[in-house]
Amino acid sequence: MSTERLKTFLEPLDEVVSLIAAVVHDVDHPGKTSGYLTNSGNELSLLYNDLSVLESHHAAFAFKLSLSDPRVNIFKNLDTETYKSVRRSIIDMVLATEMTKHFEHLSKFVNVFTKPLLGKEDALITEGPSLTSGLEPNSSMETNPSPALTPTEPDISTLLTPDNVILIKRMLIKCADVANPTRPLNLCINWAKRIAEEYFRQTEEEISRGLPPVMPMFERETCSIPKSQTGFVDYFVADMFEAWDAFLDVPEVIDHMRYNYDFWKDLDRQGIHSAGQVEAYIRKLNGTSSSTSHI
């Protein structure tokens, strides 16, 4: 949010809203997906009618905590209309992190803020695969790199509309939410291991309870960590960050994403798949090389 281009679109209150939404967007996360909560008949799924279960809970819980005690109510000095606006915006941003709406949000952003993509590329962004259809993509960043998007340069005033600011804030939190593949490699690896462990435990619990696995590829004994990472980038991350880079110019983020992608591809080619194998490889690499500045 420190870039001049983004400050052109965001008022100070938008910046505060964005920071609050980022802080609370996963608050009280149970370590399970919305699909698991729905399949298991969890009380949160019942409460939110199976719709955006986790995201609805994160937003509601955040306001419940803040409003429960005047000593921690960060909204208490806002007038009524400002509070309504802030609350509406925070909820909208948190709900935007639901991955089932990913391609809808991305398509709207691309159509407004970057040059339209043509042909198949446009169809891929608009339609996209489902989150649980598996992480073995039909096309990849390696064989079919994302097209080089370039920022449109119309009169900025024509883009300064309330609806467009909403699109920017949604994309801002969406990029932050799944930014792991665009971080320096050591952080990327650590978070990849953490999320894989969370998914392994969910799959194990689903199998033990006789529930349909939401992400069957995350079985501890058979899951390929490198394939899960490159698949996630191919399906969701690459197009979104290319669009964000075209809008905001963040080349270092793209550099990290491509470096990390190549790292996971190299592990896959070496036959390194399981979490234990990845861990052993990293230990060996760190112990034998002093030039791995990314790790």
Side-chain angles (χ1 to χ4, degrees):
M1 290 193 297
S2 62
T3 64
E4 289 303 315
R5 185 175 180 87
L6 200 53
K7 286 183 177 295
T8 301
F9 290 92
L10 301 184
E11 297 290 338
L13 190 59
D14 292 314
E15 296 180 5
V16 173
V17 162
S18 298
L19 290 173
I20 294 173
V23 168
V24 307
H25 85 281
D26 267 345
V27 66
D28 201 45
H29 198 295
K32 301 290 190 295
T33 65
S34 289
Y36 173 91
L37 298 180
T38 298
N39 291 339
S40 63
N42 185 275
E43 61 181 9
L44 291 178
S45 185
L46 297 176
L47 178 63
Y48 297 112
N49 299 313
D50 301 341
L51 301 174
S52 305
V53 177
L54 283 175
E55 294 76 20
S56 296
H57 175 61
H58 300 321
F61 192 80
F63 279 96
K64 180 180 179 180
L65 282 180
S66 184
L67 300 179
S68 65
D69 188 337
R71 293 173 299 176
V72 298
N73 185 358
I74 60 176
F75 308 109
K76 63 183 179 182
N77 292 325
L78 299 179
D79 62 69
T80 301
E81 290 306 312
T82 302
Y83 171 71
K84 287 182 179 180
S85 175
V86 165
R87 173 173 161 79
R88 182 168 56 249
S89 187
I90 291 173
I91 293 172
D92 181 82
M93 290 186 72
V94 174
L95 291 180
T97 62
E98 183 190 0
M99 292 303 290
T100 61
K101 302 290 183 64
H102 171 79
F103 295 99
E104 175 186 338
H105 294 314
L106 177 57
S107 178
K108 289 178 181 178
F109 182 84
V110 167
N111 287 338
V112 173
F113 291 105
T114 64
K115 288 183 177 180
L117 303 181
L118 301 177
K120 294 181 180 179
E121 288 82 6
D122 189 52
L124 283 173
I125 284 185
T126 303
E127 299 170 7
S130 68
L131 178 60
T132 58
S133 62
L135 291 179
E136 187 64 30
N138 294 321
S139 61
S140 72
M141 191 171 138
E142 182 179 54
T143 57
N144 293 290
S146 297
L149 304 183
T150 55
T152 54
E153 294 297 343
D155 182 356
I156 289 295
S157 63
T158 65
L159 298 176
L160 281 172
T161 68
D163 285 346
N164 286 348
V165 171
I166 289 173
L167 291 180
I168 292 172
K169 289 191 292 186
R170 287 175 180 170
M171 195 57 52
L172 178 64
I173 196 168
K174 281 180 58 57
C175 286
D177 184 39
V178 297
N180 169 53
T182 69
R183 297 175 184 273
L185 183 58
N186 63 317
L187 295 176
C188 174
I189 292 171
N190 285 335
W191 282 105
K193 291 190 295 184
R194 292 181 182 188
I195 193 64
E197 180 61 29
E198 181 178 299
Y199 290 165
F200 289 157
R201 293 180 181 181
Q202 174 174 307
T203 301
E204 290 166 352
E205 187 168 331
E206 287 167 329
I207 292 173
S208 70
R209 297 183 60 180
L211 298 172
V214 174
M215 296 173 291
M217 74 291 297
F218 279 99
E219 285 197 36
R220 192 181 299 273
E221 293 76 18
T222 59
C223 179
S224 169
I225 301 296
K227 276 188 168 63
S228 73
Q229 290 299 301
T230 56
F232 187 64
V233 172
D234 286 333
Y235 270 62
F236 297 109
V237 175
D239 284 337
M240 181 169 67
F241 274 92
E242 292 283 359
W244 189 245
D245 178 52
F247 169 64
L248 205 56
D249 189 23
V250 284
E252 68 281 0
V253 170
I254 303 300
D255 288 344
H256 283 313
M257 179 178 70
R258 291 173 177 165
Y259 185 95
N260 296 340
Y261 186 91
D262 290 342
F263 171 82
W264 293 118
K265 276 290 184 182
D266 184 57
L267 261 61
D268 185 42
R269 284 190 286 266
Q270 294 183 54
I272 297 171
H273 299 297
S274 71
Q277 290 174 327
V278 172
E279 183 70 29
Y281 177 83
I282 298 303
R283 285 199 303 267
K284 180 181 178 181
L285 198 61
N286 285 336
T288 58
S289 174
S290 59
S291 61
T292 53
S293 58
H294 283 77
I295 299 180

